[in-house]
Amino acid sequence: MGFALCGLGILMLYCTMLVFRTHYPEPDEWILLTESLTGYGLGGSVIAMFGRVGGGIYTKAADVGADLVGKVVHGIPEDDPRNPATIA
């Protein structure tokens, strides 16, 4: 799956270059191509970073919620093995 993802990314970069070259055939305007490709790479990196951070935030929120339910609703101590949040 990783090879497919990388292959699709390279294919999209190639398609971006082809489309850009058809719209801007003059070599003097190709500096805009480098800016376009840099923006494409930066956008992919930012999406990956926020996806990783977002997953951690949701995991932490679920852990805190399960902890609170075990302590408040059922009266189980925080580090008690009967609390399923301790296992997770």
Side-chain angles (χ1 to χ4, degrees):
M1 194 67 187
F3 283 124
L5 181 66
C6 289
L8 284 174
I10 291 172
L11 178 68
M12 287 305 298
L13 284 174
Y14 182 70
C15 290
T16 303
M17 286 174 52
L18 287 179
V19 167
F20 199 89
R21 282 180 48 189
T22 58
H23 288 305
Y24 300 104
E26 295 296 320
D28 296 338
E29 298 173 338
W30 286 358
I31 189 71
L32 299 173
L33 173 64
T34 59
E35 291 176 1
S36 173
L37 294 179
T38 304
Y40 182 80
L42 181 65
S45 298
V46 168
I47 288 172
M49 182 187 70
F50 281 126
R52 188 168 178 86
V53 169
I57 289 170
Y58 290 129
T59 304
K60 184 65 176 174
D63 183 41
V64 169
D67 241 357
L68 285 174
V69 167
K71 284 192 290 189
V72 175
V73 175
H74 297 292
I76 301 173
E78 184 174 349
D79 293 329
D80 194 350
R82 295 176 293 155
N83 188 353
T86 305
I87 298 169

